[in-house]
Amino acid sequence: MNQFQYSRPAEIASAIKLLAKDSNGHFLAGGTNLVDLMKMGVVVTNKLVDINHLPLKQIQKTPTGITIGALATNSEVADSAIVKENFPLLSLAINAGASPQLRNMATTGGNLMQRTRCPYFFDITAPCNKRVPGSGCSALQGYNRMHAIFGANDQCIAVNPSDMNVALTALDATVHVSGVKGERKIKFADFHRLPGDHPELDNTLQKGELITAVDIPASPFNKNVYYLKIRDRTSYAFALVSAAAALHIENNTIKGVRLAMGGVAHKPWRLTAAETFLTGKPVNEDNFKQAAQIAMQGAKAYEYNKFKLKLAPNAVIQALKMASGIAS
Ligand code: SF4
């Protein structure tokens, strides 16, 4: 491992200042992803700013919803009575991810920042535009079974690996960040990005900005929810495809719906057209099937992930059936 400077500030302003002029420094929270990447030589940093002593662990109700501090661990969020009562979809999604040991260490902010699990990104001998911009994408002609079916291009076909992010995009969360220029809010849907011409950038954070909190607005989606994760083994595996469904049902009519998929794009993939189709419709399997078809418009598979073109709509249908209670 290369040598780097380590510091552990106790104040947010000090942490931000420490990275303000440093183009190659990193904030360290739970370290469940960053430390692995450093050990493998994927991330080579000259400065680590350990933020674990910053006062960012709150999980609180607010007049408009809840706020979750960036350092609240995944376990603390998933087990929080406030979260379970108001946003059970988030608890389900978090508990579908990683292992209990990792969830005890991993933080909310870190989960937003975790990098793709594309094997070529981790292999420092392989061309990878995300790791070395301009070097090429090994996955395009390689083993692309885990890769994207939406929003990808020849620059990068990787997917965002987080389960938590799928629930947060469905729940219309907002990310609070702080930097040398002050504080700002980013809509969750705008936080992660598609590869475009800059696959090395996973999100819209400016250099040196620190995630301080994630807010989720109050909503009626606290009863009919389901997070379906389809993976190679039941525990500790990343999603081949996942589907988050939250329904507001009155008298068998869908008054509102939130849908998102994971494991299918460079960012958590919100299914707004399918949501629009379902709103006002009765709860039945036929409508769920039509919504899933709508959700798949624009999908494109590669050599080894063609199965996702069938798996993804089936996951959406099943998640909707489970959330609505017409399947158990
Ligand atoms: Fe790298 Fe993205 Fe291609 Fe994977 S898919 S090799 S992360 S550029």
Side-chain angles (χ1 to χ4, degrees):
M1 196 184 283
N2 71 302
Q3 300 227 325
F4 54 86
Q5 200 182 82
Y6 172 87
S7 44
R8 198 169 62 186
E11 290 170 2
I12 294 169
S14 316
I16 291 166
K17 210 171 162 190
L18 277 163
L19 279 197
K21 290 184 185 148
D22 212 303
S23 61
N24 199 27
H26 289 77
F27 292 120
L28 172 71
T32 56
N33 188 204
L34 177 61
V35 173
D36 284 349
L37 294 170
M38 289 173 66
K39 285 178 184 170
M40 286 184 276
V42 176
V43 168
V44 180
T45 189
N46 61 342
K47 185 186 277 187
L48 277 190
V49 177
D50 184 339
I51 59 171
N52 283 294
H53 288 239
L54 303 184
L56 296 172
K57 277 185 86 71
Q58 79 281 3
I59 303 172
Q60 285 166 356
K61 267 195 163 181
T62 66
T64 56
I66 66 167
T67 185
I68 299 170
L71 290 175
T73 66
N74 287 184
S75 299
E76 288 165 344
V77 177
D79 295 342
S80 155
I82 298 172
V83 172
K84 285 202 278 196
E85 185 188 335
N86 296 281
F87 305 103
L89 181 66
L90 181 57
S91 286
L92 290 172
I94 291 173
N95 281 329
S99 65
Q101 293 88 344
L102 283 167
R103 293 196 294 270
N104 287 340
M105 289 298 294
T107 63
T108 301
N111 202 323
L112 265 63
M113 297 296 290
Q114 68 172 304
R115 310 300 309 269
T116 185
R117 262 59 180 193
C118 172
Y120 304 104
F121 176 69
F122 284 82
D123 176 359
I124 58 171
T125 66
C128 170
N129 286 326
K130 185 175 282 300
R131 185 171 23 78
V132 183
S135 62
C137 172
S138 297
L140 263 185
Q141 305 301 328
Y143 191 51
N144 43 38
R145 179 171 176 269
M146 298 290 289
H147 290 72
I149 54 173
F150 292 108
N153 62 20
D154 285 1
Q155 292 280 312
C156 179
I157 60 172
V159 299
N160 185 290
S162 167
D163 294 294
M164 186 187 85
N165 290 345
V166 183
L168 288 175
T169 201
L171 293 168
D172 276 336
T174 300
V175 185
H176 290 248
V177 305
S178 199
V180 280
K181 292 183 188 159
E183 297 177 4
R184 67 185 179 114
K185 296 182 207 171
I186 308 171
K187 283 186 193 168
F188 203 85
D190 298 331
F191 183 82
H192 297 96
R193 56 185 299 287
L194 294 175
D197 292 334
H198 288 283
E200 73 278 13
L201 300 175
D202 293 344
N203 56 59
T204 53
L205 272 184
Q206 300 295 312
K207 193 73 201 163
E209 279 185 324
L210 174 70
I211 299 170
T212 54
V214 174
D215 286 0
I216 310 177
S219 73
F221 303 109
N222 61 357
K223 190 168 163 233
N224 291 105
V225 301
Y226 200 75
Y227 186 75
L228 178 66
K229 180 174 181 178
I230 299 166
R231 48 190 154 173
D232 284 328
R233 57 179 190 272
T234 312
S235 173
Y236 193 24
F238 294 95
L240 291 164
V241 168
S242 68
L247 295 158
H248 176 207
I249 300 170
E250 280 181 16
N251 301 322
N252 206 45
T253 299
I254 299 167
K255 294 287 185 187
V257 55
R258 300 285 173 74
L259 283 172
M261 274 197 272
V264 296
H266 199 257
K267 61 189 286 184
W269 198 246
R270 182 86 178 257
L271 311 180
T272 45
E275 291 175 3
T276 304
F277 169 80
L278 283 172
T279 304
K281 300 259 185 342
V283 173
N284 62 49
E285 188 166 351
D286 188 51
N287 281 331
F288 293 164
K289 283 181 177 171
Q290 287 189 64
Q293 254 185 2
I294 291 167
M296 292 305 293
Q297 283 168 10
K300 176 192 166 188
Y302 296 86
E303 178 69 23
Y304 294 101
N305 70 351
K306 293 191 174 85
F307 68 95
K308 288 193 181 186
L309 297 179
K310 270 195 180 174
L311 188 63
N314 284 340
V316 171
I317 294 164
Q318 186 64 13
L320 283 164
K321 285 168 71 176
M322 298 294 285
S324 64
I326 67 172
S328 57

